[in-house]
Amino acid sequence: MWINSSAISLKENNWLNAFRSFLFIAIGFSIPLSTAAISITFILLLFLWLLDRNYLAKWNVIRHNQVYIAVIAFFVLHLLGFLWLEAPESINGVKSWMVFLIPVLATAVDAKTARRGVFAFLLAMLISHFWVYLNIFQNWDAYVDLKSLDYLQPLVEGRFYISGSRVTYNPLLAFAIAILFVSLMAGFYTGWRQVVATGLLVVMTINMFMTDGRSGHLAFVLVVSVLAVHFFWKRWTMLGAMFGVLLVTISLASSFSPVFKERLLQMDRGLSHVLEQRESSTQKNSIKGSVEQRLHFVEISLKVIKDKPWLGYGTGSFERAWGEQVEKNPSGVMPHITNPHNHHLLILVQFGLLGFLVYESIYAVQLWQVRAMPTSYEFRS
């Protein structure tokens, strides 16, 4: 966890601290349920964080944590990126601005409130995923027969979700599954709570593959694999069993989930179409599916990056840079897009290799710190 358990010494019975704790818990609860509520609570929490002052103590916490420093460096990079931006009027905005508030969140509340915020997120995620189950069962015939619903159009458009769409729902579900997995493996639950938590982990995993979101599917595979290695490192039998369970889960999903099965078929058809085009040396003017579209995004983005590989085009420059590249090499597909559906490519276009290294440092320092992450909850105060 990036929340520092000894972050700031808070005074008891302080209305400011009480309201700040409420807002932090509200953020956790709002994440799966309301995008607008997240923004509002974030802004209010930032305001209270500034109003509270005590900046020196907060800075002492931040400067001793490499993750916070990496996030601040990423934020500063966005500010500096305006210096070499050629067309300020084309700025699309810094859409991921909330990531820059991680140091604020980490120094706004104590460890007890931080844990409550995590549990609030889990509770909201449970509500959200049961809502999806309800919608699927109410439309079960259409769900089973994808053709009758034009590939689960309500799922695609987001009408099955309380907030957002498959683009946000499945990654959030993968994150919730990761939290439950960690708490179970670390022995946080005992007795009937352990049984309930295990049951919720199973039904959330089933829901993951019943819904349509490839990024969430990939995130699920990644987090389970990484956490299995962390908890069962050098316990080869258990590690092998975990990967066996993961493979069985994917196999069952590909056999019984019409959504997941269709996604796999789409990927297969898309890759086959790309290979056919390359073998026949035909022009790439026929983008038939999302897989080919993503490959097209990568191809054009790499051409954009090649022109300015070191510092990129500046903050918020992707849309203009993409448009200029498409004008040079007309492809007949999406002359105007705001992102390449790949955040790493987006960073490379805006900030080049230098910015990419700054961005990747956020992940690198977290992976480095995982070495010291406890495998049990015996450290709890």
Side-chain angles (χ1 to χ4, degrees), residues 23 27 35-45 97-98:
L23 288 174
I27 289 174
T35 304
I38 299 172
S39 300
I40 293 171
T41 49
F42 256 123
I43 293 171
L44 288 174
L45 187 63
W97 67 274
M98 290 182 188

Side-chain angles (χ1 to χ4, degrees), residues 215-231:
S215 57
H217 299 155
L218 292 174
F220 171 83
V221 173
L222 177 62
V223 297
V224 171
S225 300
V226 170
L227 292 174
V229 170
H230 173 71
F231 283 105

Side-chain angles (χ1 to χ4, degrees), residues 151-181:
Y151 188 51
L152 279 183
Q153 198 62 28
L155 271 176
V156 174
E157 294 177 355
R159 296 200 300 269
F160 273 26
Y161 308 106
I162 293 178
S163 176
S165 66
R166 72 192 191 283
V167 177
T168 55
Y169 173 78
N170 280 65
L172 288 176
L173 184 59
F175 184 53
I177 290 171
I179 293 174
L180 268 178
F181 184 87

Side-chain angles (χ1 to χ4, degrees), residues 76-367:
V76 172
L77 177 66
H78 278 74
L79 298 179
L80 294 176
F82 289 110
L83 298 178
W84 61 86
L85 183 66
E86 295 181 358
E89 71 276 6
S90 70
I91 295 174
N92 190 45
V94 184
K95 292 186 175 180
S96 57
W97 67 274
M98 290 182 188
V99 73
F100 307 138
L101 291 181
I102 286 178
V104 173
L105 288 174
T107 54
V109 296
D110 57 16
K112 185 177 181 180
T113 303
R115 293 192 187 101
R116 288 176 177 175
V118 172
F119 283 115
F121 165 75
L122 280 179
L123 176 60
M125 201 67 234
L126 288 174
I127 294 171
S128 183
H129 107 285
F130 280 124
W131 177 265
V132 173
Y133 268 126
L134 178 63
N135 282 311
I136 289 177
F137 291 138
Q138 287 180 338
N139 296 274
W140 183 252
D141 291 337
Y143 177 83
V144 174
D145 184 8
L146 294 178
K147 294 180 181 179
S148 67
L149 201 56
D150 190 23
Y151 188 51
L152 279 183
Q153 198 62 28
L155 271 176
V156 174
E157 294 177 355
R159 296 200 300 269
F160 273 26
Y161 308 106
I162 293 178
S163 176
S165 66
R166 72 192 191 283
V167 177
T168 55
Y169 173 78
N170 280 65
L172 288 176
L173 184 59
F175 184 53
I177 290 171
I179 293 174
L180 268 178
F181 184 87
V182 168
S183 58
L184 278 167
M185 290 297 99
F188 186 79
Y189 305 107
T190 58
W192 66 269
R193 294 182 178 85
Q194 186 178 43
V195 175
V196 172
T198 303
L200 290 175
L201 182 65
V202 172
V203 296
M204 291 173 79
T205 300
I206 294 172
N207 189 268
M208 165 66 67
F209 291 99
M210 289 181 71
T211 48
D212 177 37
R214 285 168 299 191
S215 57
H217 299 155
L218 292 174
F220 171 83
V221 173
L222 177 62
V223 297
V224 171
S225 300
V226 170
L227 292 174
V229 170
H230 173 71
F231 283 105
F232 301 117
W233 182 247
K234 294 184 179 180
R235 296 169 61 185
W236 306 116
T237 302
M238 289 298 298
L239 185 60
M242 281 300 306
F243 280 108
V245 170
L246 183 60
L247 290 174
V248 170
T249 301
I250 296 172
S251 177
L252 290 173
S254 63
S255 298
F256 295 103
S257 171
V259 173
F260 189 65
K261 185 188 301 184
E262 179 64 22
R263 276 304 195 181
L264 292 177
L265 290 174
Q266 280 188 348
M267 292 179 64
D268 183 62
R269 289 193 295 263
L271 292 173
S272 298
H273 185 245
V274 171
L275 292 175
E276 288 173 3
Q277 283 189 323
R278 291 187 180 277
E279 290 176 0
S280 61
S281 300
T282 58
Q283 291 184 346
K284 299 171 187 177
N285 55 3
S286 176
I287 308 298
K288 294 183 177 180
S290 59
V291 174
E292 294 128 298
Q293 188 181 81
R294 299 305 192 274
L295 293 174
H296 177 75
F297 288 161
V298 172
E299 182 179 12
I300 301 298
S301 296
L302 290 176
K303 291 179 180 179
V304 174
I305 294 165
K306 186 178 179 181
D307 292 338
K308 292 187 178 181
W310 301 111
L311 291 177
Y313 293 78
T315 303
S317 60
F318 180 84
E319 188 172 0
R320 174 176 284 271
W322 172 275
E324 292 175 351
Q325 184 63 46
V326 171
E327 287 180 5
K328 296 178 185 177
N329 303 281
S331 59
V333 178
M334 292 193 177
H336 304 289
I337 64 173
T338 58
N339 67 80
H341 289 260
N342 184 309
H343 202 64
H344 301 282
L345 288 175
L346 180 63
I347 297 300
L348 280 167
V349 169
Q350 293 188 106
F351 307 114
L353 291 173
L354 176 63
F356 183 75
L357 291 176
V358 173
Y359 175 66
E360 292 302 318
S361 69
I362 298 175
Y363 300 99
V365 294
Q366 290 183 82
L367 290 173

